[in-house]
Amino acid sequence: MRYEDMTAQQREAELAHQRQVFDEFKAAGLALDMSRGKPCAEQLDLSTPMLSLLQSAEDCFDAAGLDCRNYGVIDGIPEAKQLMAHLLDDEPDNVFVFGNASLTAMHDAIARCLDYGCLGSRPWASYDQVSFICPVPGYDRHFAILEQFGIKMLPVTLGPDGPDMDEVERLVASDERVKGIWCVPKYSNPSGITYSDEVVRRLAKMPCAAADFRIFWDNAYCVHHLCAEVERQDQVLDIGIACQEAGTPDRYLKFASTSKITFPGAGVAAMACSTANLAEAKRLCGAQMIGHDKLNQLRHARFLPTADALAEHMNRHATILRPKFQLVQEKLQAGLNGLGIATWTDPHGGYFVSFDGLPGTAKRTVALAREAGVVLTGAGATWPYADDPQDRNIRIAPTMPPLEDLDLALDIFVCCARLAALETLAE
Ligand SMILES: Cc1ncc(COP(=O)(O)O)c(C=O)c1O
């Protein structure tokens, strides 16, 4: 029965019952972590054989005969460009292989725009204020980068097939200081949605007041499906092709990394973009470094030598993750369906489920869960400035805990979501 349809007396009884359940969880003194989208140990084990691929000096030469133990090659060795081109849905020639984190690559790309402008445009830092469109719910670390640089964030609703494009088009057409947009186009963090072709085309062709408007296309979950069957995998139209067709070939910067393919923090990141953008990035980065870790690039390229090898490896990840995502759906449905207090997403890939409770309950739910020993991502984290105006969105990150822990953590989560809703309805 929907909580709202209950009599005050029925709700009181339900509140008392949920409090009792909560107290029992609390007394168990648990310490469970569902806060960050990290791979679990079993997933990390999949890539551990990669560490022994370079055993001798002879192993350290790339396909072109270059000694990867030494300085050089700022934009990546050929086989790493090939691997990252698979992820970025692009040609190796358009790829710049970076270090261990796409977040650094994105941060630095924005820093270059601020300091130098783009392809001869006015440096963004020379405006009194520039802003970025931030589809919400979104990724907290994207917001942290903008906040650090003092770039104003403009939240726009992210629907089931991408950002509200009417609103995006309105914003970019009206003000040349609107300089960019964050996009996680496939299995978005946290909602797990994938952009429709129409949204991608509209992003590519929308008239922008800023000639140097940039789409930061963070395809972090590009090959991170939960099912091996192709018909149950989302596909996203390539923004590079869409921009070329729309006559805006320099508008996009695509990013990806192997953080959730091999090792977070010890993977390989890359950017793909137009020839002009690539040449500019290479020139500016040339003052910053001589080259990234080519031995790591080599290890990755040898470990995942073809698109098929990559797909097989990702299937192994999916086999580990699928039961966890299924459990989330089962537990939320069993515990919350029909109460009229929550909705949640059921993604085909990625690392998260996005949960919306009743307005005004997210912070309370997260605080209750913490009290009962379950750490969740902070309420509000999915919004710029950590300010969810309705206080209702929570990011569920089920990948890291073992299945048994996740089972318990979800029971606690459900109890806390019910308690928070009942408290709010009682007010
Ligand atoms: C959308 C998105 N982009 C980037 C990252 C971080 O990637 P990297 O480890 O390559 O910096 C994450 C990690 O959670 C993410 O969800």
Side-chain angles (χ1 to χ4, degrees):
M1 187 179 189
R2 289 169 61 84
Y3 275 176
E4 265 173 321
D5 298 337
M6 286 181 174
T7 62
Q9 223 174 5
Q10 281 172 317
R11 272 206 300 264
E12 251 170 53
E14 170 68 357
L15 183 60
H17 171 63
Q18 291 303 328
R19 281 217 176 107
Q20 195 187 338
V21 176
F22 178 78
D23 288 341
E24 282 163 21
F25 283 132
K26 207 173 138 181
L30 301 162
L32 306 169
D33 191 346
M34 256 207 315
S35 64
R36 301 256 25 133
K38 294 184 187 177
C40 61
E42 215 182 335
Q43 286 177 273
L44 301 175
D45 290 345
L46 296 175
S47 300
T48 304
M50 181 178 72
L51 296 178
S52 11
L53 288 179
L54 305 183
Q55 297 273 354
S56 64
E58 294 79 59
D59 291 337
C60 296
F61 288 76
D62 77 359
L66 180 92
D67 188 343
C68 293
R69 297 171 302 175
N70 219 328
Y71 274 137
V73 191
I74 192 164
D75 55 341
I77 60 173
E79 48 267 70
K81 284 188 173 213
Q82 178 65 67
L83 167 63
M84 299 315 284
H86 290 317
L87 297 183
L88 291 158
D89 217 358
D90 216 307
E91 298 301 322
D93 279 352
N94 300 330
V95 171
F96 192 148
V97 185
F98 284 101
N100 67 336
S102 61
L103 214 51
T104 312
M106 294 184 272
H107 172 282
D108 289 357
I110 294 180
R112 289 193 294 275
C113 296
L114 286 163
D115 283 347
Y116 310 111
C118 309
L119 306 177
S121 77
R122 178 177 160 188
W124 294 359
S126 73
Y127 292 81
D128 54 350
Q129 176 78 77
V130 292
S131 49
F132 251 59
I133 297 170
C134 298
V136 284
Y139 177 37
D140 54 351
R141 292 187 189 274
H142 284 165
F143 304 151
I145 291 176
L146 298 181
E147 198 167 356
Q148 174 133 321
F149 284 133
I151 296 174
K152 189 174 162 196
M153 295 183 253
L154 308 171
V156 166
T157 305
L158 185 74
D161 59 0
D164 174 348
M165 283 308 299
D166 290 342
E167 182 61 3
V168 171
E169 284 165 352
R170 192 186 66 75
L171 288 168
V172 298
S174 61
D175 186 348
E176 69 150 328
R177 295 168 306 169
V178 179
K179 292 294 188 193
I181 182 171
W182 282 120
C183 296
V184 184
K186 197 173 186 180
Y187 305 137
S188 197
N189 176 354
S191 69
I193 66 100
T194 294
Y195 288 22
S196 69
D197 293 359
E198 196 206 331
V199 164
V200 178
R201 290 205 177 91
R202 283 176 76 175
L203 283 165
K205 70 170 188 237
M206 62 193 181
C208 295
D212 56 356
F213 184 87
R214 289 290 180 269
I215 298 170
F216 283 75
W217 197 252
D218 179 5
N219 212 347
Y221 301 104
C222 48
V223 289
H224 303 60
H225 313 287
L226 284 171
C227 286
E229 303 85 51
V230 177
E231 58 280 6
R232 296 182 65 197
Q233 301 179 346
D234 292 0
Q235 307 298 335
V236 70
L237 186 69
D238 177 46
I239 188 69
I241 290 177
C243 283
Q244 280 148 31
E245 284 174 3
T248 56
D250 300 319
R251 181 175 285 183
Y252 69 93
L253 300 171
K254 298 194 269 185
F255 297 90
S257 79
T258 67
S259 287
K260 280 148 189 174
I261 297 173
T262 57
F263 303 126
V268 176
M271 172 176 83
C273 52
S274 68
T275 311
N277 280 327
L278 192 67
E280 180 169 77
K282 270 164 80 167
R283 180 173 58 79
L284 293 172
C285 288
Q288 191 182 8
M289 75 202 75
I290 302 170
H292 291 98
D293 181 350
K294 294 187 295 302
L295 293 173
N296 202 30
Q297 293 178 21
L298 199 53
R299 271 194 292 266
H300 277 77
R302 295 219 173 120
F303 187 58
L304 301 166
T306 60
D308 284 348
L310 177 63
E312 240 176 74
H313 182 73
M314 293 316 291
N315 282 343
R316 289 188 205 110
H317 278 286
T319 304
I320 297 167
L321 292 182
R322 206 161 40 240
K324 297 186 178 186
F325 279 81
Q326 273 165 0
L327 189 63
V328 174
Q329 297 302 322
E330 282 162 24
K331 289 280 177 179
L332 295 185
Q333 262 174 37
L336 297 170
N337 226 15
L339 301 181
I341 59 168
T343 57
W344 56 91
T345 56
D346 184 6
H348 298 160
Y351 264 57
F352 305 102
V353 171
S354 178
F355 177 94
D356 280 317
L358 290 182
T361 59
K363 282 201 183 91
R364 178 69 178 143
T365 303
V366 170
L368 282 166
R370 183 175 281 271
E371 213 183 311
V374 177
V375 183
L376 297 164
T377 309
T382 55
W383 278 73
Y385 312 106
D387 179 21
D388 173 358
Q390 292 209 68
D391 183 29
R392 62 185 313 195
N393 187 251
I394 297 173
R395 185 177 81 165
I396 298 178
T399 57
M400 172 88 165
L403 212 47
E404 319 79 66
D405 286 4
L406 182 64
D407 198 287
L408 195 51
L410 286 163
D411 284 339
I412 293 172
F413 177 75
V414 163
C415 170
C416 297
R418 282 177 163 220
L419 265 180
L422 286 161
E423 288 172 2
T424 297
L425 290 169
E427 276 162 17

